[in-house]
Amino acid sequence: MVTEFLVRQGQKAIAAEIIHYLTENEQKRYRSTELAGLLGYNESNDLPGFWYVLHKLQDEGTIDKDSDRCYGLPGHKNNPISEQLTSETGFKDAAKNHYKKDEIYTGELSTHPNGYGFVSVTDYDDDVFISAKMLNGALDGDIVEVRVTSVPSTYSSRSTPHERCEGVITQVQKRVRQEFVGVLRRRNRKFMLIPDNSRILPEINIKLKDSQDAKDGDKVVVHQLAFHKDGSIQAVVKDILGPAGSSAVEITSIARSLGIDETFPDAVLEETRQIPETIVESVFENRLDLRAKSVFTIDPFDAKDFDDALSIEDLGSGKYEVGIHIADVSHFVTEGSLLDIEAQRRSTSVYLVDRVIPMLPSMLSENVCSLRPKEDRLAYSALVQLNDEGNVLDYRFEKTLINSKRRFTYEEAQKIISSGKGEFCYELQLLNSLGKLLSAKRFENGGIDFDTEEIKFRLDEKGEPIELIKKIRLESHRLIEEFMLLANRLVAMHISSKYQDKKHEYPSIFRVHDSPRPERIVQLSEFVTKLGFKLELKKNALNNPTVSSKGLRSLLEQVKGSNVEILVNEIALRSMAKAIYHEKNIGHFGLGFDYYTHFTSPIRRYPDLIVHRLLYEYENRRKSRKKVPQKRIAELRSKIPLVCEQASAQEQNAAEAERDSIKLKQVEYMAGHIGAKFKGIISGVTEFGIFVRLVDIGSEGLVHIKNLLDDYYEFDQKTYSLVGKRTHRRLQIGSKLTVQVIDVDMRKRTIDLEIIKN
């Protein structure tokens, strides 16, 4: 640790001076040369020791350096309780490769705002730690070569978390980021870019002639990056988004920072215009005509793209046929077309607070493909026979022609289900009953149901939030979820059983979810134990701790109705592995399914579109008793892993953009409520204060320890609490209190609170 290092080097006094000065001037940040001067380190023989200590403190995370290259105390952007499950090192995995000292590996670099980074190498059991000095000009997201310089002795252990291997970047193989988004700041005869992404560490300069007449304070996108030997980057302004701080500009910058573009290439739009907006009758041939059936959609009130519709028919004798009708996007977006290439690049629609950035142009996503009411539409339907116990008796997949009779919102459908009155009441209540049976069977077979908060906003004409609304999960939501899960599961089972046996082995896409990593399960168990709950752990074949879905469900039942219900659900969810797309099926741990894929949302997810094509192609071949040619098999085997990798990465980008847009709007909303009082629950505790989740609106803010004036508080890590030294008052996770908003920081997107005395 840094303290031990400083004692050895005789530099502890310098560290104490730096930390004391930054603590006394907590709201300020300083360039390194400025800080050295303020502390009296002006002589040339003093400076090397000062730089060494400053950088070591930064490496340790005791202080941080922001995108303006200024030093200060670490900020409080995230609640460390929520983050801790992703920050720890791992248990050694015997099924994966292990690092060797002085060997060179290729992987992806992820940097931290404090200056250090980690390299993730495919099929290896952990990340390699890279200190700030060993980055050698590599950027967050770059594909790099890393030489492992240190393999700790604890690395060989299989039963306890090990220290990370350390390394040095020897070469950048690929610069992944071609553009940066940030705020321009005038510096004499040039501009500097302050990146929105704090993980972008180097200084970025723009010549005045390359600024496109942008002004100081404008939010811009820069490109044409030139990397200099001193570590700085020269860039050219590509797009001016508008003045920083504008609500719409900030949302746009969130998307652009993650490579999400709202505009489509002209050639793609021209190809889209060639598609007839009215479906011609010639395409009705070879389709099952279901236009007379009682088909309807259930979607959010503000939805424009209707992917799915339902129908149900009573077959008598306790049997029913449920129609799960999915927009037949594959009919319009043909393989290899410009539309297809662009859809693959985007891979997903992105749902931000104030807009949707679609995977397909709106003429398709909101019109031709969308299952709009009272209009003939092409669908790919899963027709499933169920009995009155929720068992699947039979199923088939058909290209169909449908006409939706009604477009329900979730709230409208729920009102009919609850009251027993309204259009399609019989169908809705019957589907709801069958959906409950499917849900119960899923949980019996290992499914887990995490209950987390979702926030919706009501915006004014400028896009600024005027109301925050917590979404309530209705029976109508669960109804749709269960039948979409059913269709996805049946498609995956069908492809696996019919086309992936010894005779065929046809490629496909699966939605897979691995069991949780041991170290995260241990952390979760320790965390909930301190809150008074229990998570039962077991041992796997490697003698590593593991958890069953039954154990997780038991934990969620224990916390149900408690003050920490939402927090424990969120942390338990974070402890899970990420669900991804993959060409090899390993099952879905969270859902409790042995087979699962995505079939039900081809308007907004590219893997669903691929699955539609594969299912139709394989079914046609089977019905005509023909095999898929080996050349085609080889082509698909080459393409599908790339599709899976791209879709998984873009899904993470979309989720990050959505989270960031919600956080931005929450802070914007609170900026208009300075001085307002809210009921809250303590959701995190650290040495520097407590995080409080505001009950009615789901926002989270910090009560800094400097604002706890009634006592001197000390952090008790054993109980996740701050304890008053004089009064012994305990501020613990789960405690209820009333807080007042005292400040917000729009740039850091943080909310500062203080406790109101009862």
Side-chain angles (χ1 to χ4, degrees):
M1 293 294 290
V2 67
T3 305
E4 297 166 341
F5 168 81
L6 294 171
V7 169
R8 288 200 307 271
Q9 298 297 322
Q11 300 293 337
K12 189 173 182 180
I14 299 177
E17 282 186 276
I18 293 171
I19 294 168
H20 177 75
Y21 190 84
L22 292 178
T23 302
E24 290 293 307
N25 298 274
E26 183 184 8
Q27 301 300 322
K28 297 181 180 180
R29 302 185 75 82
Y30 304 91
R31 284 294 185 101
S32 57
T33 51
E34 180 186 11
L35 185 60
L38 289 167
L39 293 176
Y41 293 93
N42 297 310
E43 301 296 327
S44 58
N45 59 337
D46 290 337
L47 287 172
F50 178 83
W51 302 141
Y52 200 91
V53 174
L54 184 71
H55 293 147
K56 198 67 180 175
L57 287 169
Q58 181 196 352
D59 281 352
E60 289 286 338
T62 306
I63 64 176
D64 71 10
K65 181 170 69 173
D66 62 21
S67 55
D68 210 7
R69 304 177 71 81
C70 292
Y71 291 86
L73 293 181
H76 60 271
K77 185 173 183 180
N78 294 310
N79 179 346
I81 297 296
S82 300
E83 295 295 326
Q84 69 174 355
L85 292 174
T86 61
S87 63
E88 298 296 324
T89 57
F91 285 74
K92 193 163 186 178
D93 186 346
K96 292 191 174 183
N97 299 315
H98 313 307
Y99 297 107
K100 296 179 181 177
K101 188 178 178 182
D102 293 326
E103 292 288 323
I104 292 178
Y105 304 89
T106 300
E108 181 179 352
L109 174 67
S110 174
T111 58
H112 188 277
N114 282 355
Y116 55 85
F118 300 93
V119 175
S120 173
V121 182
T122 302
D123 292 330
Y124 277 76
D125 67 335
D126 200 5
D127 299 336
V128 180
F129 174 78
I130 313 293
S131 68
K133 288 184 177 180
M134 300 301 172
L135 288 172
N136 292 330
L139 300 178
D140 182 72
D142 282 351
I143 305 302
V144 299
E145 289 184 0
V146 57
R147 179 169 59 83
V148 173
T149 57
S150 172
V151 177
S153 58
T154 52
Y155 182 64
S156 61
S157 171
R158 291 185 178 182
S159 59
T160 57
H162 57 75
E163 297 173 22
R164 276 195 168 102
C165 299
E166 296 187 19
V168 57
I169 303 297
T170 58
Q171 184 179 346
V172 176
Q173 282 195 356
K174 181 182 178 183
R175 296 284 189 188
V176 173
R177 298 180 185 273
Q178 306 299 321
E179 299 179 349
F180 298 127
V181 179
V183 181
L184 283 184
R185 292 299 180 203
R186 182 72 179 260
R187 297 286 187 269
N188 298 321
R189 301 182 61 132
K190 66 178 181 180
F191 283 111
M192 280 186 61
L193 184 80
I194 311 302
D196 285 0
N197 185 346
S198 59
R199 297 191 297 267
I200 304 303
L201 306 174
E203 184 174 291
I204 303 171
N205 298 309
I206 298 99
K207 296 177 181 177
L208 294 182
K209 68 181 181 67
D210 294 330
S211 67
Q212 304 273 18
D213 296 326
K215 302 183 292 294
D216 183 83
D218 277 349
K219 186 68 69 81
V220 300
V221 181
V222 300
H223 67 155
Q224 295 182 19
L225 310 177
F227 295 84
H228 294 172
K229 289 183 178 180
D230 64 359
S232 66
I233 299 172
Q234 196 74 33
V236 174
V237 171
K238 178 183 180 183
D239 294 315
I240 302 171
L241 303 182
S246 161
S247 187
V249 168
E250 292 300 326
I251 293 288
T252 299
S253 67
I254 286 171
R256 292 295 295 271
S257 291
L258 292 163
I260 300 167
D261 197 347
E262 294 183 64
T263 60
F264 287 86
D266 290 341
V268 172
L269 294 176
E270 178 57 34
E271 186 174 273
T272 304
R273 284 190 284 269
Q274 304 306 311
I275 298 172
E277 292 195 39
T278 304
I279 301 171
V280 294
E281 288 195 17
S282 59
V283 306
F284 295 177
E285 296 177 12
N286 300 320
R287 285 184 179 267
L288 182 62
D289 192 343
L290 301 179
R291 285 178 291 179
K293 300 284 185 184
S294 296
V295 175
F296 46 80
T297 61
I298 307 176
D299 290 281
F301 73 92
D302 55 355
K304 295 180 180 178
D305 52 346
F306 307 132
D307 274 297
D308 55 86
L310 290 177
S311 64
I312 186 166
E313 185 177 353
D314 191 338
L315 303 178
S317 303
K319 298 179 182 178
Y320 309 94
E321 182 173 83
V322 175
I324 305 164
H325 313 286
I326 309 302
D328 188 5
V329 178
S330 62
H331 176 85
F332 302 98
V333 181
T334 55
E335 187 172 355
S337 65
L338 295 178
L339 265 170
D340 185 46
I341 293 167
E342 180 67 11
Q344 181 180 347
R345 186 184 73 81
R346 293 172 178 254
S347 288
T348 183
S349 294
V350 183
Y351 294 84
L352 305 178
V353 169
D354 66 344
R355 71 195 74 172
V356 176
I357 302 175
M359 183 182 78
L360 300 171
S362 59
M363 196 278 277
L364 289 175
S365 62
E366 298 178 14
N367 183 5
V368 176
C369 295
S370 185
L371 305 182
R372 304 199 302 190
K374 313 296 184 185
E375 297 182 16
D376 291 347
R377 284 293 181 262
L378 305 184
Y380 204 169
S381 300
L383 303 172
V384 187
Q385 285 191 26
L386 298 161
N387 64 17
D388 52 14
E389 294 179 348
N391 297 314
V392 175
L393 305 177
D394 197 7
Y395 66 86
R396 69 190 196 277
F397 305 106
E398 299 279 0
K399 291 276 186 159
T400 58
L401 179 64
I402 68 168
N403 187 298
S404 173
K405 302 299 184 289
R406 173 74 190 268
R407 178 263 203 263
F408 289 106
T409 66
Y410 283 113
E411 293 74 17
E412 289 170 343
Q414 184 60 50
K415 186 175 180 181
I416 293 169
I417 290 169
S418 300
S419 68
K421 298 177 182 178
E423 194 173 6
F424 298 115
C425 177
Y426 171 75
E427 289 86 350
L428 285 168
Q429 289 191 325
L430 185 53
L431 285 167
N432 189 49
S433 297
L434 288 172
K436 288 179 178 179
L437 292 172
L438 292 171
S439 179
K441 287 180 180 296
R442 183 161 59 86
F443 295 140
E444 285 174 14
N445 293 327
I448 307 166
D449 191 21
F450 294 102
D451 192 8
T452 56
E453 274 186 344
E454 286 189 62
I455 303 295
K456 293 280 285 186
F457 296 83
R458 191 160 65 88
L459 308 176
D460 64 15
E461 63 278 0
K462 295 179 182 178
E464 295 175 356
I466 54 179
E467 186 180 9
L468 273 69
I469 307 158
K470 287 200 323 190
K471 287 176 67 175
I472 299 172
R473 200 172 176 196
L474 305 172
E475 287 179 286
S476 54
H477 288 110
R478 296 178 186 273
L479 180 162
I480 292 296
E481 287 171 12
E482 289 303 329
F483 285 106
M484 297 308 112
L485 291 173
L486 177 62
N488 289 333
R489 179 168 61 92
L490 290 177
V491 169
M493 285 175 55
H494 187 77
I495 289 176
S496 296
S497 62
K498 298 288 185 183
Y499 306 115
Q500 295 195 328
D501 54 17
K502 292 181 180 179
K503 290 183 179 179
H504 299 96
E505 296 183 354
Y506 291 173
S508 188
I509 293 177
F510 296 94
R511 180 70 169 178
V512 300
H513 185 222
D514 208 348
S515 55
R517 287 171 55 178
E519 65 276 8
R520 295 195 180 181
I521 288 301
V522 169
Q523 292 161 351
L524 176 63
S525 176
E526 291 173 350
F527 173 71
V528 299
T529 298
K530 291 175 183 179
L531 298 182
F533 303 101
K534 183 178 180 180
L535 176 63
E536 184 180 349
L537 300 185
K538 299 180 179 180
K539 294 286 186 178
N540 63 14
L542 295 173
N543 204 34
N544 285 338
T546 185
V547 66
S548 66
S549 56
K550 181 181 178 181
L552 281 167
R553 286 201 309 276
S554 172
L555 172 64
L556 300 183
E557 280 297 319
Q558 292 174 55
V559 302
K560 200 168 187 66
S562 72
N563 291 345
V564 294
E565 178 183 2
I566 297 298
L567 177 65
V568 171
N569 270 267
E570 287 182 352
I571 292 180
L573 184 58
R574 288 178 68 90
S575 74
M576 298 293 100
K578 281 187 172 68
I580 60 171
Y581 298 102
H582 206 274
E583 66 275 14
K584 293 180 181 177
N585 178 46
I586 62 168
H588 198 294
F589 178 84
L591 294 174
F593 291 158
D594 292 329
Y595 301 94
Y596 193 64
T597 190
H598 273 169
F599 172 80
T600 54
S601 296
I603 290 178
R604 60 184 178 90
R605 292 189 306 228
Y606 189 72
D608 302 52
L609 176 56
I610 293 290
V611 170
H612 275 227
R613 288 177 183 155
L614 295 178
L615 179 62
Y616 185 61
E617 181 176 353
Y618 295 167
E619 285 286 273
N620 269 356
R621 288 278 176 178
R622 182 175 67 87
K623 290 174 182 177
S624 60
R625 299 182 181 276
K626 294 179 181 178
K627 289 185 177 181
V628 178
Q630 284 302 312
K631 183 179 179 181
R632 174 62 171 163
I633 296 292
E635 179 189 1
L636 290 172
R637 282 184 181 151
S638 173
K639 178 180 180 177
I640 284 176
L642 301 177
V643 170
C644 291
E645 183 179 356
Q646 172 74 358
S648 297
Q650 290 299 98
E651 179 184 35
Q652 288 189 40
N653 275 349
E656 185 177 345
E658 182 181 357
R659 284 194 302 268
D660 287 351
S661 73
I662 289 171
K663 183 67 175 176
L664 172 66
K665 292 301 178 185
Q666 285 176 324
V667 177
E668 277 185 16
Y669 179 80
M670 299 309 285
H673 290 76
I674 303 295
K677 299 175 184 179
F678 296 91
K679 299 289 184 183
I681 295 174
I682 297 177
S683 57
V685 182
T686 72
E687 296 94 334
F688 56 82
I690 59 172
F691 286 86
V692 179
R693 182 192 297 272
L694 306 183
V695 174
D696 293 331
I697 58 177
S699 300
E700 189 174 63
L702 176 76
V703 179
H704 199 283
I705 199 164
K706 69 181 180 182
N707 293 320
L708 295 171
L709 303 178
D710 63 324
D711 203 343
Y712 177 78
Y713 286 87
E714 295 179 326
F715 178 56
D716 181 0
Q717 190 169 11
K718 291 181 180 179
T719 60
Y720 289 121
S721 59
L722 289 180
V723 183
K725 199 166 186 178
R726 177 177 53 83
T727 62
H728 304 294
R729 181 188 185 188
R730 188 176 293 274
L731 299 172
Q732 187 170 19
I733 287 179
S735 298
K736 291 183 177 180
L737 36 70
T738 302
V739 293
Q740 185 173 29
V741 182
I742 59 174
D743 196 16
V744 301
D745 187 322
M746 294 301 300
R747 183 165 175 264
K748 293 181 180 178
R749 293 172 193 165
T750 56
I751 302 167
D752 288 316
L753 308 168
E754 65 180 5
I755 297 174
I756 301 299
K757 293 181 181 179
N758 293 328

